[in-house]
Amino acid sequence: MEEILESLHSPYVIIFPSPGMGHVIPLTEFAKRLALNHGISITFAVPTEINPPSEAAQKSVLDSLPGSINTIFLSPVDLSDLPNGATVARRTVLTVTRSLSSLFDSLKTISSSYHVVALVVDIFSPSAVDLAKEFNIIPYIFFPSTAMCLSLYYYLPVMDQVYSCEYRDVAHPIQIPGCVPVWGTDLTNPLEDRKSEAYRGILQYWRRINMAAVYPIGRCLNWLDNQPLGSVLFTSFGSVGTLSNEQLTELASGVEMSEHKFLWVLRSPTDKSADANYLNSQSVRDPFELLPKGFSERTKMTEQKMNAVMLTDDLKVALRPKVNKNGIIGRDEISRCVKGVMEGGEGIELRSRMGDLKGAATSSLSEGGSSCLLRWQTSGKIIRYNFYPANDKK
């Protein structure tokens, strides 16, 4: 009886991530902090599609979470009506949207046994906010990208009114509130074509978002451990980054020409069908030949150009290589940038500023730091709502 009463009065949070490891992992880290540091019980309600590409990896991560964090996989949705080459964003949004009825049923079931006080969604799940209101619980949007990118999207409805042309054709850098000016060509990929479905969807999303508050809560190898501090270059393009065979060759040659030690994280583009000769120096095949149709277009949805502007022009902790007339960054340019970062006075200044940023980030995440305090503030609001719901609906 006491356990039943406790379940009905203890704060309970539902997390509704978008499908894909890049969305799930940051939310699991956030969930662990809420559960372990604040005693909040959590259930992940995970949307899935029929025959999802990363189900095993996703399940492995979720199964490793503490016992106070549960996982339910919502009914798989059918995306067979999507055309070949549909973007990642389009597939993600549809998966989430078509999972809302299943999420509703899960919220109803969980709410009958636990006191659900908050629903946490990510940037691809705006429609779920309406469900939170229907169940009289607080909705939160989890945005793990940069504050600069968040400011851009929040400002996007204003930009859409101010400029009538494509953003790449604006004759001056665009001033985003609180950020350094950014040329239109450096904005995120979905903003490249204002007539596209992706642009219209993002614009509609941010028109309906009313952010009352922002809570910035954000956070070996034996060989690497044996290298001198700051002597190794790390090269990686994420889980969906793709390079042509020509660009791979130029990158490898440029890094080698720099004569600096490096650690390059690279994997073949498919799980089973990629040739063993894929990255062999004798291979003449282009990696794109091995990718599913439309894959390269579906992966051009990230904000790396925005990040480049922030890191080079604002924070001044990076060098940005120049692309040649063929759309390739040549080996000489790559070598120049690597040496610029790793050597000489410029490199020392860059690494010093990065060290300062690292120290500030570590401080903010430590006990008593700004991110730690804001996480406590957020969890405190969730717990307070558990006892005084009428005072915390906003």
Side-chain angles (χ1 to χ4, degrees), residues 6 10-15 26-44 62 64-71 120 217 375-376 378-380 382-383:
E6 183 178 353
S10 299
Y12 204 100
V13 171
I14 306 296
I15 295 181
L27 277 166
T28 60
E29 291 301 313
F30 176 57
K32 284 190 287 187
R33 284 164 172 76
L34 287 181
L36 299 177
N37 296 343
H38 307 284
I40 296 174
S41 298
I42 296 167
T43 285
F44 271 85
L62 293 169
S64 68
L65 294 174
S68 57
I69 303 176
N70 301 312
T71 301
V120 179
I217 57 173
R375 192 178 70 243
W376 277 98
T378 305
S379 60
I382 292 173
I383 294 171

Side-chain angles (χ1 to χ4, degrees), residues 73-119:
F73 288 91
L74 303 177
S75 301
V77 299
D78 184 7
L79 300 180
S80 61
D81 57 319
L82 280 179
N84 291 332
T87 64
V88 169
R90 179 62 174 157
R91 295 183 68 89
T92 300
V93 169
L94 277 182
T95 301
V96 167
T97 302
R98 294 177 181 181
S99 297
L100 290 179
S101 60
S102 182
L103 175 63
F104 177 89
D105 294 338
S106 296
L107 280 171
K108 188 175 181 180
T109 300
I110 296 172
S111 297
S112 66
S113 302
Y114 300 93
H115 188 40
V116 180
V117 296
L119 174 67

